[in-house]
Amino acid sequence: MYDVINPATEKLFKTIEHLDLAGTDAVIAKAEMAFDSWRHVAPGDRGKMLRRFAEVVAEHKEELAQLEIANSGHTRGNALWEVDNVVNVLTYYSAAPERLFGRQIPVPGGIDVTFKEPLGVIGVIVPWNFPMPIAGWGFAPALAAGNTVVLKPAEYTPLTAMKLGELALIAGIPEGVFNVLPGKGSVIGARFVTHPAVRKVVFTGSTEVGKSIMAGCADQVKRVTLELGGKSSNIIFADADIAKAAATAPGSVFDNAGQDCCARSRILIQKSAFDKFMEHFEVAVKKFRVEDPSLATADMGPLISKKQFDSVQTFLDEPVAFTGSAPSGDGYWMAPTVLLPKNTQARSWREEVFGPVVSVMTFEDEAEAIAMANDSEYGLSGSIWTRDVGRALRVSRAIETGNLSVNSHSSVRFWTPFGGFKQSGLGRELGPDALDSFTEVKNVFISND
Ligand code: NAP
Ligand code: MG
């Protein structure tokens, strides 16, 4: 049995049962059985079932959002957006079964065609920071391509995933096709890696665990997609709309209490605009509302756990420019904090904090900004603020990162690709090409004879 805690109150929210190894194997066997019939469901029918699944999720929007608020401390605004994201991703990929096109390639003596075949059972391992969206980014395209899914939510945040598993059955997705397995990463997640029936692992989480999963998958040449950490830069040139850049910077790093792999946790501001930026930025940080996440006005809730809170505190030994505010008392609350590290070797400048902490440093010119941004083992996200179109293009092409936004901070849209350079990950999720990560290309030559 496992106690799920509400991070805003530290009170017990629910007690759930964890699956053990034998239970995990039993579910994987069920998913393996279900694969043979699911893959042969007519494309139009599979699409219809996924649309029905999306509708049923939408009908349970308030219930799912309430679960996420209480289980994960997500703000009401975010939790509602997250349910919508699952609905949208399911709807988007519901069009895929009828569009899993192969090619016809000219050859002498016959015809040559390619097919996109499903892989089999897909293991999806989900972290606690965005339990619903990250689950959906894995299971929706996997199911659409004809695979069955075993999904392990994080120990801290299993409740919405478990509910989605129930809703799939209500929507008519056949038994065994989409399975949610609450429990430990070291037991269930590790079993996805070693079980021969699981043909691919989709992992989102820490770079450390991601590397061990990749190494483990090598043994069976198992397919793997990794979405790992980040240390993304928010690069602001002096010619930018400084007031707007400053007003939007808090949301770009403190959203979800900074527990976001895309958090712009490094602000690079051109030296000549530093004073003006910091003046506006301080106002914006102090306005950022950290409060009971169930309130519609909340910008930020608590951190997920005592462990995460303690880990974030270890970054606070660098000079503090200013902080916002946070409630006191029970709950893992922390005020948004702005640091001024002395140099680029500072821990807060180099390591993923995964909390509401941002570090600010200055640069002289474009070349220095690019060099500073690229001086990281990570490369997931980032933003560029400038009014100069040429500079926006040059810097976008020069930054070694998978997702950039210019004069904005959006990086995740379900219909565009998402993923990391360098140690931020391997492969891409979302967008039109994600189906390729859930299928194998089969080439067939048919002779004229
Ligand atoms: P984590 O250990 O990487 O956990 C992510 C998922 O992997 C969880 O479901 C976890 O299960 C599972 N897992 C853990 N060990 C496993 C193993 N040996 N084999 C298979 N699956 C395993 O991340 P964390 O410990 O929760 O967080 C640590 C740090 O990782 C954070 O501070 C942050 O820097 C980073 N992080 C990044 C992301 C991201 O979106 N890129 C997300 C979360 C965390 P359990 O819940 O049972 O541990
Ligand atoms: Mg861990």
Side-chain angles (χ1 to χ4, degrees):
M1 297 306 270
Y2 180 85
D3 291 341
V4 177
I5 304 295
N6 180 331
T9 61
E10 300 179 48
K11 292 210 173 71
L12 176 68
F13 180 48
K14 257 196 185 115
T15 301
I16 61 152
E17 204 142 351
H18 272 181
L19 247 72
D20 61 9
L21 195 58
T24 304
D25 282 355
V27 178
I28 294 172
K30 244 173 62 177
E32 196 181 6
M33 285 274 291
F35 174 58
D36 193 48
S37 47
W38 180 246
R39 70 179 306 186
H40 291 117
V41 170
D45 293 339
R46 205 157 65 225
K48 222 179 270 172
M49 280 191 230
L50 292 174
R51 280 193 288 282
R52 183 67 199 130
F53 188 6
E55 283 165 13
V56 173
V57 173
E59 287 159 12
H60 291 77
K61 180 167 173 172
E62 183 63 32
E63 185 183 348
L64 285 162
Q66 291 294 347
L67 271 181
E68 207 66 281
I69 293 165
N71 184 174
S72 308
H74 286 198
T75 62
R76 180 169 173 77
N78 278 11
L80 291 167
W81 181 91
E82 289 161 21
V83 184
D84 279 342
N85 187 258
V86 175
V87 174
N88 289 332
V89 171
L90 273 169
T91 307
Y92 180 75
Y93 287 110
S94 75
E98 290 153 315
R99 293 169 176 79
L100 271 181
F101 302 126
R103 292 166 183 265
Q104 178 268 312
I105 300 168
V107 288
I111 61 167
D112 191 281
V113 287
T114 66
F115 297 92
K116 287 190 181 162
E117 304 283 16
L119 298 166
V121 180
I122 308 284
V124 182
I125 301 173
V126 181
W128 44 260
N129 58 333
F130 289 107
M132 278 189 279
I134 293 174
W137 303 353
F139 72 68
L143 295 175
N147 305 281
T148 56
V149 169
V150 288
L151 182 142
K152 193 206 89 68
E155 279 177 73
Y156 289 141
T157 59
L159 299 179
T160 47
M162 291 169 74
K163 186 74 200 177
L164 289 171
E166 292 167 23
L167 297 180
L169 292 175
I170 292 172
I173 303 288
E175 187 89 35
V177 169
F178 174 48
N179 310 275
V180 177
L181 299 80
K184 283 184 156 315
S186 56
V187 177
I188 301 171
R191 189 61 181 140
F192 291 176
V193 174
T194 58
H195 198 301
V198 177
R199 306 298 289 275
K200 169 166 182 146
V201 174
V202 179
F203 172 82
T204 305
S206 61
T207 299
E208 184 193 354
V209 174
K211 285 178 184 176
S212 78
I213 284 178
M214 190 174 174
C217 284
D219 197 45
Q220 296 166 16
V221 197
K222 191 170 290 195
R223 276 57 179 151
V224 62
T225 297
L226 304 172
E227 297 289 359
L228 309 174
K231 191 71 204 173
S232 297
S233 298
N234 181 8
I235 307 171
I236 304 160
F237 288 92
D239 70 17
D241 182 340
I242 297 293
K244 190 172 174 194
T248 56
S252 79
V253 57
F254 303 141
D255 185 65
N256 206 30
Q259 302 166 125
D260 182 342
C261 46
C262 290
R264 276 68 164 173
S265 58
R266 304 197 291 181
I267 293 177
L268 283 68
I269 172 83
Q270 196 158 20
K271 202 172 233 163
S272 57
F274 177 78
D275 291 341
K276 183 176 178 194
F277 173 77
M278 290 302 269
E279 207 176 292
H280 284 88
F281 188 38
E282 181 162 10
V283 173
V285 170
K286 296 217 182 309
K287 268 205 317 221
F288 207 73
R289 294 177 71 103
V290 184
E291 59 185 1
D292 175 354
S294 67
L295 298 173
T297 50
D299 291 318
M300 182 181 131
L303 291 167
I304 188 66
S305 66
K306 176 77 167 60
K307 188 174 163 219
Q308 192 62 21
F309 178 87
D310 290 341
S311 156
V312 175
Q313 305 312 302
T314 68
F315 287 90
L316 301 184
D317 58 356
E318 290 168 35
V320 175
F322 44 81
T323 72
S325 59
S328 50
D330 289 345
Y332 312 118
W333 297 100
M334 184 179 165
T337 301
V338 179
L339 299 179
L340 293 169
K342 290 208 179 67
N343 57 54
T344 58
Q345 294 312 304
R347 257 187 87 217
S348 79
W349 191 257
R350 307 207 73 80
E351 295 179 22
E352 181 168 53
V353 180
F354 234 59
V357 178
V358 69
S359 302
V360 183
M361 287 190 76
T362 59
F363 64 87
E364 294 285 350
D365 57 15
E366 193 176 310
E368 193 186 12
I370 292 166
M372 283 170 77
N374 285 341
D375 177 22
S376 170
E377 71 202 25
Y378 294 117
L380 189 56
S381 182
S383 302
I384 301 159
W385 291 79
T386 177
R387 287 188 174 105
D388 178 333
V389 178
R391 166 174 285 156
L393 271 173
R394 287 192 302 275
V395 179
S396 297
R397 295 304 300 270
I399 301 289
E400 298 159 347
T401 179
N403 309 270
L404 280 163
S405 26
V406 175
N407 296 327
S408 71
H409 292 298
S410 54
S411 44
V412 185
R413 292 185 181 80
F414 58 84
W415 64 101
T416 61
F418 175 71
F421 279 29
K422 300 195 269 189
Q423 293 193 29
S424 284
L426 185 73
R428 291 292 178 273
E429 300 193 283
L430 300 173
D433 303 324
L435 279 309
D436 289 344
S437 327
F438 293 104
T439 50
E440 291 283 10
V441 173
K442 179 184 284 171
N443 190 70
V444 177
F445 169 75
I446 305 161
S447 165
N448 283 341
D449 291 345

